[in-house]
Amino acid sequence: MEHREERMNALYEDLEQNLTLVGATAIEDKLQDGVPQTIANLGIAGIKVWVLTGDKQETAINIGYSCQLLTDDLIDIFIVDGMNYNEVEQQLNKYLDTVRSQLQRGVTESLIHPYLDDLNSLSENAEGNGYALIVNGHSLVYALQPSMEALFLDVASSCKSVICCRVTPLQKALVVDLVKRHKNAVTLAIGDGANDVSMIKMAHIGVGISGQEGMQAVLASDFSLAQFRYLERLLLVHGRWSYFRMSKFLRYFFYKNFAFTLCHFWFAFFCGFSAQTLYDPVFISFYNVFYTSLPVLALGVFDQDVSDKNSIRYPKLYTPGLMNLLFNKMIFLKSVAHGLLSSFILFFIPYGAFSYAVDPNGLNIDDHQLFGTTVSTILVLVVTVQIALDTAYWTNFNHVVIWGSALFYLGMTILINMNFFGNPYVGTFRMTLSTAHFWFTLFLTIAILLVPIVAIRFYYVDTHPSLADRVRLRQRLSHLRTRPSEPTLRISSVRRSSRRSIRSGYAFAHQEGFGRLIMSGKIMKKSKSSNFTNNLHATPKAQNHWSNKSNNSREKGSPSTVEV
């Protein structure tokens, strides 16, 4: 039917005449708790948030203001609502020219903050001015065409916020695929309904919310959350810790293996490249399996530079991960150079000390086995102390595996070099420990390799501290100030019950729970301490009022978002 909308409006005008307003109905459809603050913190961290929703344009704009994606600080809000190809192209070109002209004047600011910044502004929510882009489903059909997708992506990338409304599930997946193909970024898609499944599968990381619209999104996702606000902790705490630990793990792993392997390279010049090994064959087999494996695993599992509370409090700490500052090609080359230099010092200092050396009894101690044992012992001790310097968060397990690995090496080497096993290196380790050359070489090598590392790190922390260094310093000072001078009586159960909210925290809790019955005290066993407990709790009347208020409220699942 042609001109269907105009004819329907004319029909409405004919029918809706001389009517009396009897009443009006409304549906309360609120966002989940913490959604605006979560999106604001993700924006401060440098994560770009795109909202892809099936709601109409007016509703999408209201959601944008509720989520703080749209604010009064924006310079302008671009609305793409063209109904054909030419209109959409004209609108996008117009908006792109506007953004470029403002960028040339220096009005807008970068959305990704530098790694070094003022600590006092770390927790601020202000991101400065910018633009927002709103695209409806009809215009998105033309914007996603191959001839226009580059223009659309340029405009969207230049805007602080992007909202796509009236989009189909297929269009959600196409938008994610567009970002994946043209941007060097990792995409994360989060949704709570069956219409978000294609988008979740298309993104690099899919997150499903177990909400009121079923479990399809959860089953198709990589991670499952109960509420949208938990995404903040998933990214800013666990995601950041994971990147921090993996970067340290890789740097140390390359360092210790290059330091171990390249000693053979230096030894090859003195054995005529005959493929003779410098170390004991047993040591070669045990080095990566027993002597140095557990400390680096503990580093990759438990290490953290700042606490979880400070990771959320200062979202800009997430920025180094976006910029690949903790592990990149330059960091890899530095680790290789560190291992190369360490192997050079580990080999030539013992070589110079034991070359034509004799003990006080006149016996030669410059043989191959004693020299190889010296180098291997110093190597294990140096890499063990190095990982102790790299560890920022100490646990009991870290102490056990780090210092235990060094002790295990000493005990295992003594055991293997006994006559019981028939090892060709019988008595070599005890002979090595009894010489003054070994102890002189040990302390000299450790000093040459580790003292510059400690000095350089202290210099950079003192003169060029990063955001993590500043937050770590503030964290330590706060721990010193809040350290209790004397033990205090802690009543954990009473304190926990007084702070806990009666309302269920899950978005899919439709029915009234047992909170009112529990808080009424009818099922509690009377005891002598009941008077003391009742004095610390709120009155039952106030508790029933809170329970009724929470039960009558219904929360809405979060809109679908794409994060770049």
Side-chain angles (χ1 to χ4, degrees):
M1 180 183 295
E2 297 181 358
H3 306 290
R4 176 183 177 85
E5 186 174 355
E6 291 78 1
R7 293 185 180 182
M8 292 296 295
N9 291 333
L11 182 60
Y12 294 153
E13 294 293 336
D14 294 338
L15 294 178
E16 297 176 355
Q17 295 182 6
N18 300 325
L19 300 178
T20 303
L21 180 62
V22 178
T25 59
I27 299 176
E28 184 182 20
D29 205 4
K30 299 192 303 181
L31 292 172
Q32 293 181 359
D33 294 336
V35 172
Q37 185 63 29
T38 299
I39 295 180
N41 287 341
L42 295 181
I44 296 175
I47 301 175
K48 296 202 64 176
V49 181
W50 293 19
V51 176
L52 310 178
T53 177
D55 296 329
K56 60 181 182 180
Q57 181 173 315
E58 293 78 6
T59 306
I61 294 176
N62 292 331
I63 292 175
Y65 279 105
S66 300
C67 298
Q68 298 183 6
L69 285 173
L70 304 179
T71 60
D72 297 334
D73 297 332
L74 295 174
I75 298 177
D76 196 3
I77 298 178
F78 300 148
I79 299 178
V80 180
D81 54 359
M83 300 303 296
N84 54 60
Y85 184 91
N86 293 330
E87 291 182 2
V88 174
E89 186 178 15
Q90 291 177 359
Q91 291 178 345
L92 291 177
N93 286 321
K94 175 184 176 182
Y95 297 149
L96 184 60
D97 294 339
T98 302
V99 173
R100 288 178 176 175
S101 62
Q102 292 294 340
L103 288 175
Q104 292 176 357
R105 298 176 186 176
V107 177
T108 58
E109 298 178 356
S110 176
L111 293 180
I112 297 182
H113 298 265
Y115 188 44
L116 298 177
D117 203 345
D118 186 13
L119 183 61
N120 296 325
S121 63
L122 284 178
S123 58
E124 294 179 359
N125 293 337
E127 282 280 329
N129 297 326
Y131 294 95
L133 178 65
I134 300 176
V135 186
N136 58 33
H138 297 289
S139 302
L140 195 61
V141 173
Y142 303 103
L144 292 178
Q145 292 185 4
S147 58
M148 199 187 299
E149 60 181 13
L151 175 62
F152 168 68
L153 189 59
D154 290 340
V155 176
S157 301
S158 303
C159 294
K160 181 180 177 182
S161 304
V162 178
I163 300 177
C164 300
C165 55
R166 284 298 186 187
V167 295
T168 63
L170 179 59
Q171 287 179 328
K172 293 181 179 181
L174 292 177
V175 171
V176 177
D177 181 65
L178 176 65
V179 177
K180 288 177 60 178
R181 287 186 289 108
H182 293 85
K183 292 293 182 180
N184 185 20
V186 178
T187 58
L188 183 147
I190 179 170
D192 62 349
N195 56 344
D196 302 320
V197 171
S198 57
M199 173 187 65
I200 291 174
K201 289 186 175 181
M202 180 61 67
H204 293 98
I205 305 171
V207 180
I209 300 178
S210 54
Q212 301 177 1
E213 301 186 18
M215 300 293 292
Q216 290 87 350
V218 173
L219 297 177
S221 63
D222 302 310
F223 298 93
S224 175
L225 302 177
Q227 291 190 16
F228 182 84
R229 60 189 176 95
Y230 298 149
L231 181 66
E232 179 183 17
R233 184 174 180 86
L234 176 65
L235 295 179
L236 301 185
V237 178
H238 298 289
R240 181 181 173 277
W241 280 352
S242 178
Y243 174 71
F244 174 77
R245 293 164 179 169
M246 187 59 63
S247 300
K248 267 193 173 183
F249 176 89
L250 293 175
R251 293 200 304 262
Y252 176 78
F253 191 83
F254 285 122
Y255 154 73
K256 77 179 184 69
N257 281 284
F258 274 102
F260 163 73
T261 306
L262 292 179
C263 288
H264 289 284
F265 174 74
W266 308 119
F267 182 68
F269 290 95
F270 298 89
C271 68
F273 294 91
S274 61
Q276 182 180 6
T277 60
L278 172 64
Y279 309 117
D280 181 6
V282 178
F283 175 80
I284 297 176
S285 302
F286 283 9
Y287 178 76
N288 277 319
V289 179
F290 297 109
Y291 299 152
T292 60
S293 59
L294 290 180
V296 69
L297 289 178
L299 179 74
V301 174
F302 298 106
D303 200 39
Q304 54 182 264
D305 53 348
V306 298
S307 63
D308 55 343
K309 294 181 180 179
N310 285 327
S311 297
I312 296 178
R313 184 180 179 184
Y314 305 109
K316 290 182 184 178
L317 293 171
Y318 189 82
T319 305
L322 299 176
M323 304 172 66
N324 293 327
L325 294 180
L326 299 185
F327 190 81
N328 47 46
K329 294 180 180 179
M330 183 58 63
I331 297 296
F332 170 73
L333 294 178
K334 288 182 179 180
S335 300
V336 174
H338 187 195
L340 176 65
L341 180 61
S342 298
S343 67
F344 184 85
I345 297 176
L346 283 169
F347 180 84
F348 282 101
I349 288 184
Y351 177 80
F354 284 88
S355 180
Y356 304 104
V358 294
D359 64 356
N361 297 325
L363 298 177
N364 292 333
I365 54 175
D366 58 350
D367 61 283
H368 167 258
Q369 293 183 351
L370 194 146
F371 174 66
T373 303
T374 301
V375 174
S376 61
T377 303
I378 299 176
L379 171 64
V380 172
L381 295 179
V382 165
V383 298
T384 301
V385 177
Q386 179 67 47
I387 199 171
L389 295 176
D390 292 341
T391 303
Y393 183 78
W394 286 87
T395 63
N396 294 331
F397 187 76
N398 289 93
H399 283 287
V400 171
V401 298
I402 290 177
W403 311 123
S405 296
L407 296 177
F408 180 76
Y409 164 76
L410 298 177
M412 183 62 67
T413 305
I414 294 175
L415 181 64
I416 293 175
N417 290 343
M418 290 183 177
N419 294 329
F420 179 77
F421 293 95
N423 191 287
Y425 281 68
V426 174
T428 303
F429 188 64
R430 285 179 292 176
M431 181 65 181
T432 303
L433 297 180
S434 63
T435 60
H437 293 74
F438 167 77
W439 296 105
F440 170 75
T441 305
L442 173 65
F443 290 110
L444 180 62
T445 306
I446 291 179
I448 293 176
L449 288 177
L450 299 180
V451 170
I453 299 297
V454 175
I456 292 174
R457 292 186 180 180
F458 270 104
Y459 171 77
Y460 277 102
V461 170
D462 186 59
T463 60
H464 304 286
S466 63
L467 295 185
D469 296 331
R470 299 178 183 182
V471 174
R472 191 185 304 115
L473 176 60
R474 177 172 292 187
Q475 178 177 299
R476 292 177 180 175
L477 294 177
S478 64
H479 287 338
L480 293 177
R481 295 189 189 121
T482 59
R483 181 177 297 175
S485 58
E486 58 183 6
T488 57
L489 179 63
R490 299 181 62 184
I491 309 176
S492 58
S493 60
V494 175
R495 185 176 301 173
R496 189 182 300 113
S497 61
S498 62
R499 291 183 179 179
R500 185 176 179 180
S501 175
I502 304 174
R503 181 178 61 185
S504 173
Y506 293 94
F508 50 81
H510 302 285
Q511 300 178 356
E512 180 180 2
F514 299 97
R516 182 181 302 180
L517 177 61
I518 295 175
M519 300 305 296
S520 64
K522 294 181 181 180
I523 61 175
M524 301 297 293
K525 182 178 180 181
K526 298 295 182 180
S527 61
K528 294 181 180 180
S529 60
S530 60
N531 295 332
F532 173 74
T533 305
N534 292 333
N535 291 333
L536 294 178
H537 285 280
T539 59
K541 182 177 179 180
Q543 293 167 358
N544 291 334
H545 174 70
W546 297 338
S547 179
N548 291 335
K549 182 179 180 180
S550 63
N551 290 331
N552 292 332
S553 63
R554 186 178 68 87
E555 298 180 347
K556 175 186 175 181
S558 61
S560 306
T561 63
V562 178
E563 300 175 6
V564 182

